[in-house]
């Protein structure tokens, strides 16, 4: 288990790589990548059993990035875990790169599902969790959803099926940053109250601050003890977390920083070195 200081160091480097690769590609989605860094760092370093040796094995936990536009986050975490080379991150969104704008499970080791069409990832995760039950495979399935993504009807079919099939090996997380592509989720198509809705669909719901490592870790631990229903971690987050001028700005959903903005972002994140 990594302590808070170590997790912070990994998260910070992941944030730096996210802004660097998006700036280098001149396209990508920084806001929703940065908001989920703390949860996904904790998941990959302290919760899931994925590593270099078992990456291609069926005998490990699975993660589905249902909000596939946050691919820079997934690639940066995989690099931090040593599953893909860190240098490769700068090929993000280039022709012939394995690291396309939305993740492709056929090319990238550690990518467990190809995603990008919002709503579909959670359905895949439900199928994977059902398969694990049928195979008597005790490994768990984790899935990250955006709050805007929950405006997709398919999410609710998946939520209903997960409860119906008592998938207690499934843990979903909602990155509740309250923004989607064009503005506030409450203005675009209000999906709230998401916690109450998942509860009504038969899920065990845990509400946390998605930037507090103690709360994140406790929630994952609690989820492992829940029997007979799936768990939702409903995480309050800040879109663009860690880069002041990106925080809570819908405009940074899918825009790349220019050279000057990259410099400022990296300064705020403590410089350009891998320390
Ligand atoms: C089915 C589908 N419709 C629309 C899009 C375009 N799109 C990409 S990201 C996004 C907003 C998602 O908002 P949210 O889930 O809140 O993501 P986050 O704030 O975490 O970045 C939209 C509408 C898509 N990828 N898939
Ligand atoms: Mg959002």
């Amino acid at each position: 288990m990594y302590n808070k200081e170590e997790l912070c160091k990994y998260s910070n480097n992941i944030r730096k790589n996210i802004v660097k690769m998006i700036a280098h590609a001149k396209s990508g989605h920084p806001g929703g990548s940065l908001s989920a860094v703390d949860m996904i760092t904790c998941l990959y370093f302290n919760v899931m059993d994925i590593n270099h040796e078992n990456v291609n094995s069926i005998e490990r936990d699975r993660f589905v990035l249902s909000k596939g536009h946050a691919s820079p986050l997934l690639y940066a975490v995989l690099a931090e875990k040593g599953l893909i080379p860190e240098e490769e991150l700068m090929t993000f969104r280039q022709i012939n790169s394995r690291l396309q704008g939305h993740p492709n499970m056929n090319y990238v080791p550690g990518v467990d599902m190809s995603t990008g069409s919002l709503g579909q990832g959670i359905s895949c995760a439900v199928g994977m969790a059902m398969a694990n039950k049928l195979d008597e495979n005790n490994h768990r399935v984790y899935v990250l959803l955006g709050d805007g993504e929950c405006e997709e009807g398919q999410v609710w079919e998946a939520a209903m099926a997960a409860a119906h099939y008592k998938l207690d090996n499934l843990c979903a997380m909602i990155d509740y940053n309250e923004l989607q592509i064009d503005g506030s989720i409450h203005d675009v198509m209000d999906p709230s109250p998401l916690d109450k809705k998942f509860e009504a669909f038969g899920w065990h719901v845990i509400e946390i601050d998605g930037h507090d490592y103690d709360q994140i870790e406790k929630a994952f631990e609690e989820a492992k003890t829940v029997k007979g229903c799936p768990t939702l971690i409903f995480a309050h987050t800040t879109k663009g977390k860690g880069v002041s001028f990106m925080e809570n700005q819908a405009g940074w959903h899918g825009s790349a920083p220019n050279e000057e903005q990259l410099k400022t972002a990296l300064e705020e994140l403590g410089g350009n070195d891998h320390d």
Side-chain angles (χ1 to χ4, degrees):
M1 291 284 273
Y2 292 89
N3 64 32
K4 227 189 290 184
E5 210 173 64
E6 291 165 320
L7 289 177
C8 244
K9 218 170 110 183
Y10 287 128
S11 292
N12 208 51
N13 201 51
I14 288 164
R15 284 193 161 91
K16 287 190 225 174
N17 276 330
I18 288 170
V19 288
K20 278 202 271 186
M21 73 176 101
I22 295 173
H24 191 259
K26 297 191 168 64
S27 83
H29 296 81
S33 297
L34 292 168
S35 57
V37 168
D38 300 312
M39 255 189 306
I40 301 306
T41 301
C42 201
L43 179 68
Y44 271 80
F45 282 89
N46 274 357
V47 180
M48 277 173 66
D49 62 352
I50 184 170
N51 55 50
H52 213 19
E53 284 75 48
N54 70 4
V55 66
N56 292 319
S57 160
I58 200 120
E59 292 297 323
R60 67 166 173 82
D61 296 329
R62 252 54 205 179
F63 171 67
V64 177
L65 180 69
S66 199
K67 40 173 256 177
H69 59 280
S71 58
L73 163 61
L74 180 55
Y75 300 147
V77 170
L78 293 177
E80 205 65 32
K81 286 285 291 187
L83 297 171
I84 58 172
E86 195 174 18
E87 314 79 74
E88 193 178 344
L89 294 178
M90 294 309 131
T91 71
F92 176 57
R93 283 184 175 247
Q94 307 298 315
I95 289 172
N96 295 328
S97 166
R98 299 193 293 181
L99 309 184
Q100 287 303 305
H102 295 85
N104 187 326
M105 67 189 288
N106 298 309
Y107 299 134
V108 190
V111 170
D112 292 333
M113 185 49 63
S114 303
T115 50
S117 184
L118 296 170
Q120 293 184 355
I122 184 169
S123 297
C124 298
V126 167
M128 290 153 84
M130 283 175 75
N132 277 1
K133 290 259 177 198
L134 290 169
D135 290 344
E136 293 177 10
N137 175 341
N138 287 327
H139 296 274
R140 292 176 63 76
V141 180
Y142 295 90
V143 54
L144 179 69
L145 293 156
D147 47 9
E149 179 178 13
C150 294
E151 295 161 9
E152 279 287 344
Q154 183 171 354
V155 169
W156 301 101
E157 293 179 54
M160 188 162 51
H164 179 81
Y165 290 108
K166 301 185 172 34
L167 301 180
D168 47 20
N169 55 347
L170 178 68
C171 177
M173 296 152 265
I174 292 183
D175 185 1
Y176 193 63
N177 56 34
E178 293 181 76
L179 289 173
Q180 64 121 303
I181 193 167
D182 289 326
S184 161
I185 55 164
H186 307 294
D187 297 335
V188 177
M189 178 61 73
D190 196 355
S192 59
L194 285 168
D195 49 345
K196 298 278 180 303
K197 283 180 181 162
F198 270 83
E199 241 164 51
F201 272 69
W203 289 54
H204 178 73
V205 176
I206 307 168
E207 186 171 7
I208 61 163
D209 170 345
H211 302 303
D212 180 319
Y213 293 119
D214 291 334
Q215 291 187 34
I216 297 169
E217 240 166 57
K218 253 178 78 186
F220 283 128
E221 279 312 307
E222 183 178 325
K224 283 185 189 169
T225 66
V226 173
K227 296 283 167 250
C229 71
T231 294
L232 173 74
I233 299 177
F234 180 59
H236 292 265
T237 60
T238 301
K239 199 152 176 168
K241 176 76 177 176
V243 179
S244 62
F245 58 90
M246 292 186 181
E247 287 191 1
N248 286 316
Q249 300 298 320
W252 284 104
H253 170 80
S255 329
N258 62 26
E259 256 178 56
E260 198 54 36
Q261 289 164 329
L262 174 65
K263 201 167 148 255
T264 311
L266 291 174
E267 272 165 20
E268 286 187 13
L269 293 167
N272 195 8
D273 315 322
H274 192 301
D275 44 18

